PDB file of all heavy atoms in Angstrom:
ATOM      1  N   ALA U 196      -7.085  48.434 111.475  1.00 88.00           N
ATOM      2  CA  ALA U 196      -7.173  47.235 110.688  1.00 88.00           C
ATOM      3  C   ALA U 196      -6.638  46.082 111.288  1.00 88.00           C
ATOM      4  O   ALA U 196      -7.119  44.987 111.151  1.00 88.00           O
ATOM      5  CB  ALA U 196      -6.476  47.574 109.275  1.00 88.00           C
ATOM      6  N   ILE U 197      -5.514  46.310 112.063  1.00 87.00           N
ATOM      7  CA  ILE U 197      -4.971  45.136 112.836  1.00 87.00           C
ATOM      8  C   ILE U 197      -6.102  44.622 113.826  1.00 87.00           C
ATOM      9  O   ILE U 197      -6.231  43.468 113.892  1.00 87.00           O
ATOM     10  CB  ILE U 197      -3.679  45.629 113.529  1.00 87.00           C
ATOM     11  CG1 ILE U 197      -2.675  45.952 112.573  1.00 87.00           C
ATOM     12  CG2 ILE U 197      -3.195  44.490 114.373  1.00 87.00           C
ATOM     13  CD1 ILE U 197      -1.400  46.532 113.164  1.00 87.00           C
ATOM     14  N   GLY U 198      -6.664  45.579 114.414  1.00 87.00           N
ATOM     15  CA  GLY U 198      -7.847  45.143 115.317  1.00 87.00           C
ATOM     16  C   GLY U 198      -8.885  44.375 114.725  1.00 87.00           C
ATOM     17  O   GLY U 198      -9.289  43.299 115.162  1.00 87.00           O
ATOM     18  N   PHE U 199      -9.300  44.753 113.459  1.00 85.00           N
ATOM     19  CA  PHE U 199     -10.210  44.118 112.712  1.00 85.00           C
ATOM     20  C   PHE U 199      -9.816  42.794 112.281  1.00 85.00           C
ATOM     21  O   PHE U 199     -10.748  41.851 111.959  1.00 85.00           O
ATOM     22  CB  PHE U 199     -10.822  44.928 111.546  1.00 85.00           C
ATOM     23  CG  PHE U 199     -12.021  45.679 111.854  1.00 85.00           C
ATOM     24  CD1 PHE U 199     -11.965  46.752 112.706  1.00 85.00           C
ATOM     25  CD2 PHE U 199     -13.287  45.487 111.286  1.00 85.00           C
ATOM     26  CE1 PHE U 199     -13.141  47.397 113.042  1.00 85.00           C
ATOM     27  CE2 PHE U 199     -14.418  46.109 111.639  1.00 85.00           C
ATOM     28  CZ  PHE U 199     -14.273  47.178 112.527  1.00 85.00           C
ATOM     29  N   MET U 200      -8.571  42.515 112.147  1.00 83.00           N
ATOM     30  CA  MET U 200      -8.171  41.203 111.596  1.00 83.00           C
ATOM     31  C   MET U 200      -8.458  40.108 112.733  1.00 83.00           C
ATOM     32  O   MET U 200      -8.646  38.951 112.365  1.00 83.00           O
ATOM     33  CB  MET U 200      -6.555  41.249 111.467  1.00 83.00           C
ATOM     34  CG  MET U 200      -6.169  41.849 110.182  1.00 83.00           C
ATOM     35  SD  MET U 200      -4.358  42.158 110.020  1.00 83.00           S
ATOM     36  CE  MET U 200      -3.843  40.461 110.346  1.00 83.00           C
ATOM     37  N   SER U 201      -8.634  40.517 113.900  1.00 83.00           N
ATOM     38  CA  SER U 201      -8.997  39.600 114.926  1.00 83.00           C
ATOM     39  C   SER U 201     -10.367  39.000 114.745  1.00 83.00           C
ATOM     40  O   SER U 201     -10.619  37.942 115.205  1.00 83.00           O
ATOM     41  CB  SER U 201      -8.968  40.143 116.315  1.00 83.00           C
ATOM     42  OG  SER U 201      -9.813  41.241 116.417  1.00 83.00           O
ATOM     43  N   PHE U 202     -11.140  39.554 113.850  1.00 82.00           N
ATOM     44  CA  PHE U 202     -12.413  39.133 113.512  1.00 82.00           C
ATOM     45  C   PHE U 202     -12.326  37.810 112.574  1.00 82.00           C
ATOM     46  O   PHE U 202     -13.181  37.188 112.416  1.00 82.00           O
ATOM     47  CB  PHE U 202     -13.397  40.102 112.963  1.00 82.00           C
ATOM     48  CG  PHE U 202     -13.858  41.127 113.987  1.00 82.00           C
ATOM     49  CD1 PHE U 202     -13.583  42.396 113.761  1.00 82.00           C
ATOM     50  CD2 PHE U 202     -14.737  40.744 114.954  1.00 82.00           C
ATOM     51  CE1 PHE U 202     -14.045  43.330 114.607  1.00 82.00           C
ATOM     52  CE2 PHE U 202     -15.201  41.659 115.837  1.00 82.00           C
ATOM     53  CZ  PHE U 202     -14.892  43.020 115.638  1.00 82.00           C
ATOM     54  N   GLY U 203     -11.140  37.798 112.005  1.00 76.00           N
ATOM     55  CA  GLY U 203     -10.909  36.856 110.972  1.00 76.00           C
ATOM     56  C   GLY U 203     -11.284  35.439 111.363  1.00 76.00           C
ATOM     57  O   GLY U 203     -11.734  34.704 110.531  1.00 76.00           O
ATOM     58  N   GLY U 204     -11.074  35.077 112.544  1.00 71.00           N
ATOM     59  CA  GLY U 204     -11.375  33.591 113.009  1.00 71.00           C
ATOM     60  C   GLY U 204     -12.872  33.401 113.399  1.00 71.00           C
ATOM     61  O   GLY U 204     -13.252  32.405 113.835  1.00 71.00           O
ATOM     62  N   MET U 205     -13.670  34.461 113.240  1.00 70.00           N
ATOM     63  CA  MET U 205     -14.993  34.469 113.701  1.00 70.00           C
ATOM     64  C   MET U 205     -15.785  33.344 113.115  1.00 70.00           C
ATOM     65  O   MET U 205     -16.573  32.659 113.788  1.00 70.00           O
ATOM     66  CB  MET U 205     -15.852  35.770 113.559  1.00 70.00           C
ATOM     67  CG  MET U 205     -16.815  36.060 114.614  1.00 70.00           C
ATOM     68  SD  MET U 205     -17.281  37.777 114.554  1.00 70.00           S
ATOM     69  CE  MET U 205     -18.047  38.037 113.033  1.00 70.00           C
ATOM     70  N   LEU U 206     -15.709  33.164 111.822  1.00 65.00           N
ATOM     71  CA  LEU U 206     -16.524  32.139 111.139  1.00 65.00           C
ATOM     72  C   LEU U 206     -15.830  30.876 110.949  1.00 65.00           C
ATOM     73  O   LEU U 206     -16.434  29.788 111.040  1.00 65.00           O
ATOM     74  CB  LEU U 206     -17.026  32.704 109.820  1.00 65.00           C
ATOM     75  CG  LEU U 206     -18.044  33.773 110.008  1.00 65.00           C
ATOM     76  CD1 LEU U 206     -18.495  34.403 108.612  1.00 65.00           C
ATOM     77  CD2 LEU U 206     -19.309  33.416 110.709  1.00 65.00           C
ATOM     78  N   THR U 207     -14.456  30.941 110.624  1.00 58.00           N
ATOM     79  CA  THR U 207     -13.773  29.774 110.346  1.00 58.00           C
ATOM     80  C   THR U 207     -13.213  29.097 111.784  1.00 58.00           C
ATOM     81  O   THR U 207     -13.047  27.899 111.839  1.00 58.00           O
ATOM     82  CB  THR U 207     -12.603  29.935 109.431  1.00 58.00           C
ATOM     83  OG1 THR U 207     -11.731  30.979 110.037  1.00 58.00           O
ATOM     84  CG2 THR U 207     -13.047  30.380 108.103  1.00 58.00           C
ATOM     85  N   GLY U 208     -13.134  29.951 112.748  1.00 48.00           N
ATOM     86  CA  GLY U 208     -12.439  29.537 113.932  1.00 48.00           C
ATOM     87  C   GLY U 208     -13.106  28.373 114.696  1.00 48.00           C
ATOM     88  O   GLY U 208     -12.589  27.418 115.252  1.00 48.00           O
ATOM     89  N   GLY U 209     -14.391  28.401 114.581  1.00 47.00           N
ATOM     90  CA  GLY U 209     -15.169  27.304 115.136  1.00 47.00           C
ATOM     91  C   GLY U 209     -14.818  26.024 114.762  1.00 47.00           C
ATOM     92  O   GLY U 209     -14.549  25.088 115.663  1.00 47.00           O
ATOM     93  N   ASP U 210     -14.648  25.745 113.538  1.00 48.00           N
ATOM     94  CA  ASP U 210     -14.265  24.500 113.010  1.00 48.00           C
ATOM     95  C   ASP U 210     -12.914  24.022 113.544  1.00 48.00           C
ATOM     96  O   ASP U 210     -12.701  22.975 113.990  1.00 48.00           O
ATOM     97  CB  ASP U 210     -14.223  24.477 111.458  1.00 48.00           C
ATOM     98  CG  ASP U 210     -15.521  24.777 110.889  1.00 48.00           C
ATOM     99  OD1 ASP U 210     -16.567  24.675 111.561  1.00 48.00           O
ATOM    100  OD2 ASP U 210     -15.691  25.093 109.728  1.00 48.00           O
ATOM    101  N   ASP U 211     -11.924  24.981 113.545  1.00 46.00           N
ATOM    102  CA  ASP U 211     -10.599  24.649 113.971  1.00 46.00           C
ATOM    103  C   ASP U 211     -10.582  24.222 115.373  1.00 46.00           C
ATOM    104  O   ASP U 211     -10.000  23.259 115.882  1.00 46.00           O
ATOM    105  CB  ASP U 211      -9.643  25.913 113.914  1.00 46.00           C
ATOM    106  CG  ASP U 211      -9.371  26.195 112.368  1.00 46.00           C
ATOM    107  OD1 ASP U 211      -9.749  25.327 111.611  1.00 46.00           O
ATOM    108  OD2 ASP U 211      -9.001  27.293 112.080  1.00 46.00           O
ATOM    109  N   GLU U 212     -11.501  24.958 116.183  1.00 44.00           N
ATOM    110  CA  GLU U 212     -11.506  24.661 117.620  1.00 44.00           C
ATOM    111  C   GLU U 212     -11.933  23.296 117.955  1.00 44.00           C
ATOM    112  O   GLU U 212     -11.398  22.471 118.799  1.00 44.00           O
ATOM    113  CB  GLU U 212     -12.345  25.705 118.359  1.00 44.00           C
ATOM    114  CG  GLU U 212     -11.477  26.741 119.103  1.00 44.00           C
ATOM    115  CD  GLU U 212     -12.495  27.772 119.802  1.00 44.00           C
ATOM    116  OE1 GLU U 212     -13.458  27.373 120.229  1.00 44.00           O
ATOM    117  OE2 GLU U 212     -12.028  28.849 119.884  1.00 44.00           O
TER     118      GLU U 212
END
Side-chain angles (χ1 to χ4, degrees):
Chain U
I197 294 173
F199 262 67
M200 279 169 59
S201 60
F202 288 116
M205 208 164 66
L206 290 180
T207 55
D210 298 343
D211 292 346
E212 259 180 28

